[in-house]
Amino acid sequence: MSGFKSTDRYIASRDLEVAVNAAVALQRPLLVKGEPGTGKTVLAHEIANSLGHPLIEWHVKSTTKAQQGLYEYDAVSRLRDGQLGDERVKDIGNYIVRGKLWEAFESGEQTVVLIDEVDKADIEFPNDLLLELDRMQFFVYETRQTIKAKHRPIVLITSNNEKELPDAFLRRCFFHYIRFPDRETMEQIVQAHYPDIKQDLAREALTVFFKIRDVPGLKKKPATSELLDWLKLLMIEDLSPEVLRSKEQHVVIPPLHGALLKNEQDVHLFERLAFLSRRG
Amino acid sequence: MFASFVLALRSAGLPASITEYLTLMGAMKAGVADYSIDDFYYLCRATLVKDERHLDRFDRVFGEVFKGLEPPEGMPIQNLPEEWLKALAEKFLSKEEMDKIEKLGGLEALMKRLQELLEEQKGRHQGGSKWIGTAGTSPFGNNGANPEGVRIGQQEGRNRRAIKVWDKREFKDLDDTVEIGTRNIKLALRRLRKFARQGTPTELDIPETIRTTANNAGYLDLKMVPERHNTVKVLLFLDIGGSMDEHVRVCEELFSAARGEFKHLEYFYFHNCIYERVWKTNRRRNDNMTPTEEVMRKYGPDYKAIFVGDASMSPYEVSHPGGSVEHWNDEPGSVWMERLTKHFRRSAWLNPRPRNAWDHAMTIGMLRKVMENRMYPLTLGGIDEMAKELNK
């Protein structure tokens, strides 16, 4: 079968391809977890691109309710209109605001729905969407109509692991954990994003990058997105690879480290290590 | 067809169900894994595992059940003690040394020899050229340099030969009985949350608004309520010094996570067992003691008491008056523990020592009895269990 494959801009490992294709084939949601900055959200864009479907994004916040993805009944404006004697008030349908899932269900073609950072919401959020994601339909109480998906959308759900997801919800999903890419994959990813980068610069930068990730005790390890930002900076500044080359095992603070280390404690830790290695 | 695999997963503690099994069958039928073992492995993983903490266990079961599927070059990992395989050192061999390593005569012979050695050897081993362990030149173990070696539990394939993904067990440190970090602890502690509305009114109170609007002859009269906040109250008792020194890091993490998570958090230190006094600062502990009686008077039964300690000491320190190693105590520690657990109806003990070591110290059993079995290991799983118990 054809399905989803790595593109020249997004390098997907084989296990990710299998997981996506399984989710597409069986029309079940795919739950993706992984370190921040390993391309969970970008994945949805790439699936939509490679399958040629429109993408509908639903970004979840701590205040998001499951109902908001279906529809909302704006009672307050109806009440206000009622008191002002507006004609619109006679039809309750005027006050039903459609949510992202409704949009996806009503769409004339198959869509890709991204439910981003599902763990940010209340612990009951996934449970409230069980039936809707299973049957791809829901009932609007106010207007007594059932909204049914014309084409079952491909649903991608990302999570940063802030909350445990309920078992009943998990049972209905495929699951994939994006592992941090190894050096080889990382080289491909860098190639995909900056095809005209100087080879020796990329090599030195990757060495420095993986060395930083190996430093014990970092609060936030830099991930793929940080590496790409940093490389862009290095390219703009047109630094020569020699600057990055450290004297063997010694730890040196890399130039433009602001793109990699996002935390002043981490920078301090690094300065201390650099100081120690100079002395030692 | 793969029912035995699903059953094996379940007996290994993975929550795989009929639904997932049927999904897997459906996906196979749809041709997602076209006759490729790797794809089949990935598909099984995406279908049957729903939590990255279970990935390691999944890999182990997969390797066991589908032993015949993998090419004969790999071999299933034996149950080697963890600590052997911790890669403690890297040893770089010279060219001559490499040459010196004789091939021991094909794979069969290697496997047989490994079995023999496993029988023969009874401890952790590092370096050297015969035993199984790390950084040696024996053909068995990891981080070694025997060109014909069998890799056991190495972090990543050094030369990428003969490694099957499920034997690599890359997701090892995500098992929830191993890793623990401030953020993770915070998430586990969140289970203890209890919400109540306090503070400035910022949210629309719909039932009240409807009522007052009706009273107001239909004209809108908005009513607000305060937002919900976490109001759980926690009292931490931390064992400090002595045998607790080796657990300092994990206790610090627990402490800072608890500080961040709970608004109403109070803490006291004790040594080994609680007697008639506890203290808040370790440096000036001698002139800064708080009588335990006062703690019970000041903090009501609505506080949840959590004791953190390894509970490992001499039995006298728990059972006898005067047993304390630091001062003369008129009443035995168990009496004080009983008093505290009676006062704080929701209480639990977190023990940084692993559960399987609990039988080694007699006092752990004694304190467990006092706690009515509410003792949990200081791991994410343990904190989770504790939170469930405290919320009952």
Side-chain angles (χ1 to χ4, degrees):
Chain A
M1 62 186 290
S2 58
F4 174 72
K5 282 246 155 56
S6 286
T7 59
D8 46 353
R9 292 194 326 111
Y10 188 83
I11 309 295
S13 56
R14 182 69 193 140
D15 47 346
L16 178 58
E17 286 172 13
V18 172
V20 171
N21 287 330
V24 173
L26 291 200
Q27 307 188 313
R28 277 169 190 262
L30 173 65
L31 171 67
V32 183
K33 285 197 204 170
E35 248 182 77
T38 40
K40 298 189 291 290
T41 309
V42 187
L43 175 64
H45 293 263
E46 290 306 319
I47 295 176
N49 266 343
S50 76
L51 301 178
H53 297 319
L55 173 70
I56 295 177
E57 291 177 72
W58 182 14
H59 296 283
V60 175
K61 297 180 195 150
S62 64
T63 50
T64 307
K65 296 270 176 308
Q67 186 68 30
Q68 290 168 348
L70 311 176
Y71 69 93
E72 278 179 291
Y73 169 45
D74 189 355
V76 175
S77 42
R78 192 173 186 217
L79 185 59
R80 191 197 53 220
D81 285 356
Q83 294 189 331
L84 296 175
D86 198 310
E87 266 309 298
R88 274 162 36 96
V89 85
K90 298 231 168 70
D91 181 8
I92 195 168
N94 288 330
Y95 300 95
I96 303 282
V97 183
R98 294 176 178 202
K100 297 280 183 195
L101 283 181
W102 190 329
E103 221 177 278
F105 288 179
E106 288 275 274
S107 165
E109 53 177 325
Q110 196 179 28
T111 53
V112 177
V113 176
L114 167 68
I115 304 182
D116 206 10
E117 311 200 28
V118 73
D119 53 329
K120 292 272 180 299
D122 190 78
I123 207 136
E124 288 303 320
F125 177 89
N127 273 336
D128 295 346
L129 284 177
L130 280 184
L131 189 71
E132 284 73 14
L133 290 179
D134 215 21
R135 302 245 183 94
M136 295 291 178
Q137 66 174 54
F138 62 90
F139 184 70
V140 186
Y141 294 95
E142 283 78 4
T143 55
R144 315 236 157 249
Q145 63 180 138
T146 304
I147 306 296
K148 212 170 170 217
K150 289 178 184 157
H151 306 274
R152 283 178 73 100
I154 299 160
V155 182
L156 189 82
I157 302 165
T158 72
S159 163
N160 275 326
N161 235 355
E162 291 198 6
K163 285 194 190 88
E164 296 245 343
L165 298 170
D167 285 346
F169 179 76
L170 293 175
R171 209 156 287 143
R172 288 164 169 81
C173 302
F174 284 99
F175 171 72
H176 182 76
Y177 182 81
I178 299 191
R179 205 158 30 88
F180 195 82
D182 56 10
R183 187 166 173 136
E184 241 168 79
T185 322
M186 200 51 114
E187 273 164 17
Q188 286 174 21
I189 294 172
V190 171
Q191 267 312 312
H193 280 82
Y194 307 120
D196 47 352
I197 192 169
K198 281 184 241 150
Q199 285 309 313
D200 43 354
L201 177 70
R203 202 171 47 241
E204 291 302 328
L206 274 176
T207 309
V208 173
F209 173 75
F210 278 102
K211 218 182 254 172
I212 292 182
R213 274 186 64 89
D214 278 344
V215 170
L218 277 191
K219 285 206 152 171
K220 163 78 180 82
K221 285 186 180 180
T224 316
S225 59
E226 275 102 7
L227 173 69
L228 293 176
D229 287 348
W230 185 52
L231 281 176
K232 192 162 203 178
L233 279 178
L234 290 180
M235 284 161 75
I236 292 171
E237 296 276 321
D238 205 16
L239 286 177
S240 71
E242 281 73 42
V243 184
L244 295 173
R245 199 163 296 146
S246 59
K247 286 153 215 90
E248 290 309 300
Q249 263 92 21
H250 287 210
V251 191
V252 186
I253 302 187
L256 306 165
H257 61 263
L260 289 174
L261 302 169
K262 300 286 178 68
N263 188 305
E264 75 274 12
Q265 277 113 314
D266 286 353
V267 178
H268 281 316
L269 177 77
F270 237 82
E271 279 166 354
R272 259 207 325 274
L273 285 175
F275 177 69
L276 285 177
S277 72
R278 262 204 305 278
R279 274 204 322 184
Chain B
M1 183 178 173
F2 298 117
S4 60
F5 176 47
V6 177
L7 288 176
L9 284 176
R10 285 191 69 96
S11 55
L14 268 90
S17 73
I18 300 267
T19 325
E20 276 122 3
Y21 179 55
L22 292 177
T23 312
L24 175 63
M25 294 288 99
M28 298 283 288
K29 219 172 163 186
V32 179
D34 269 346
Y35 309 113
S36 147
I37 302 174
D38 283 344
D39 285 5
F40 173 68
Y41 161 72
Y42 293 141
L43 178 67
C44 286
R45 204 175 70 186
T47 335
L48 298 168
V49 185
K50 298 300 164 67
D51 192 325
E52 65 275 15
R53 286 176 300 187
H54 297 149
L55 285 171
D56 177 44
R57 255 178 271 170
F58 174 81
D59 285 356
R60 265 182 281 172
V61 175
F62 190 93
E64 237 166 71
V65 173
F66 295 105
K67 233 187 312 204
L69 281 183
E70 60 197 81
E73 56 203 347
M75 80 161 272
I77 290 180
Q78 301 285 326
N79 263 341
L80 294 180
E82 279 291 300
E83 75 235 64
W84 285 10
L85 303 171
K86 272 187 201 152
L88 281 182
E90 292 270 359
K91 187 174 171 191
F92 296 103
L93 297 181
S94 68
K95 186 84 190 90
E96 302 153 56
E97 275 178 301
M98 296 287 273
D99 289 341
K100 252 195 253 165
I101 301 165
E102 286 289 339
K103 302 202 168 186
L104 288 175
L107 185 80
E108 298 279 284
L110 271 177
M111 293 303 161
K112 235 177 115 189
R113 181 122 180 85
L114 174 63
Q115 291 290 3
E116 285 165 23
L117 285 179
L118 276 175
E119 303 280 300
E120 216 176 320
Q121 178 182 359
K122 290 278 182 281
R124 190 197 183 311
H125 184 72
Q126 181 165 356
S129 60
K130 181 184 177 193
W131 294 125
I132 305 161
T134 50
T137 53
S138 150
F140 307 108
N142 66 26
N143 289 358
N146 189 306
E148 241 193 3
V150 178
R151 183 186 52 81
I152 301 173
Q154 186 168 321
Q155 284 294 308
E156 46 191 67
R158 284 246 218 116
N159 35 25
R160 300 187 171 276
R161 281 193 311 182
I163 310 153
K164 280 280 121 197
V165 191
W166 45 90
D167 263 1
K168 274 204 276 181
R169 294 178 59 191
E170 287 170 355
F171 298 99
K172 201 160 180 335
D173 54 346
L174 292 172
D175 210 322
D176 72 340
T177 46
V178 185
E179 189 212 22
I180 196 157
T182 326
R183 182 166 176 73
N184 294 336
I185 302 178
K186 268 191 196 175
L187 291 170
L189 286 174
R190 275 196 192 171
R191 272 191 191 267
L192 276 179
R193 285 196 290 192
K194 208 157 85 196
F195 287 106
R197 296 184 184 278
Q198 276 170 355
T200 42
T202 49
E203 279 181 355
L204 182 65
D205 181 355
I206 292 176
E208 190 58 17
T209 304
I210 293 172
R211 206 180 57 79
T212 50
T213 303
N215 283 346
N216 211 7
Y219 283 92
L220 259 183
D221 183 8
L222 294 179
K223 288 282 176 255
M224 309 294 275
V225 282
E227 220 184 307
R228 296 192 315 155
H229 285 295
N230 191 5
T231 56
V232 70
K233 297 172 175 174
V234 175
L235 198 53
L236 266 184
F237 293 96
L238 301 152
D239 184 356
I240 204 88
S243 54
M244 282 300 283
D245 283 349
E246 53 191 290
H247 309 297
V248 142
R249 201 183 65 91
V250 71
C251 291
E252 273 176 349
E253 280 182 352
L254 172 77
F255 184 56
S256 62
R259 278 290 273 266
E261 192 57 32
F262 303 119
K263 230 184 198 169
H264 305 279
L265 173 85
E266 287 296 336
Y267 63 93
F268 292 99
Y269 294 108
F270 64 96
H271 183 64
N272 281 357
C273 187
I274 294 192
Y275 304 105
E276 65 278 0
R277 51 195 199 162
V278 289
W279 57 93
K280 280 204 100 149
T281 43
N282 278 303
R283 212 179 315 146
R284 302 202 332 265
R285 59 197 267 186
N286 284 329
D287 43 52
N288 214 355
M289 292 283 193
T290 314
T292 312
E293 294 261 359
E294 197 184 305
V295 175
M296 287 193 275
R297 224 177 306 128
K298 195 164 167 195
Y299 304 103
D302 52 332
Y303 271 84
K304 297 178 197 294
I306 302 173
F307 303 92
V308 184
D310 58 0
S312 309
M313 59 203 106
S314 95
Y316 296 111
E317 293 177 56
V318 181
S319 60
H320 281 64
S324 164
V325 283
E326 298 205 310
H327 69 295
W328 178 262
N329 53 313
D330 290 330
E331 285 168 303
S334 56
V335 169
W336 282 105
M337 283 304 299
E338 262 163 38
R339 253 178 224 154
L340 280 167
T341 49
K342 219 166 164 190
H343 177 73
F344 298 108
R345 271 171 307 220
R346 298 269 172 256
S347 61
W349 189 295
L350 283 176
N351 196 330
R353 298 188 60 179
R355 196 171 248 156
N356 52 23
W358 287 3
D359 295 333
H360 299 195
M362 188 177 161
T363 47
I364 295 186
M366 293 164 75
L367 284 167
R368 255 179 106 178
K369 217 173 129 202
V370 175
M371 296 304 299
E372 284 160 355
N373 252 338
R374 291 188 306 267
M375 184 179 280
Y376 305 93
L378 184 43
T379 58
L380 287 187
I383 295 178
D384 228 41
E385 268 179 71
M386 175 198 75
K388 266 185 217 157
E389 172 64 36
L390 288 181
N391 270 345
K392 262 185 196 162

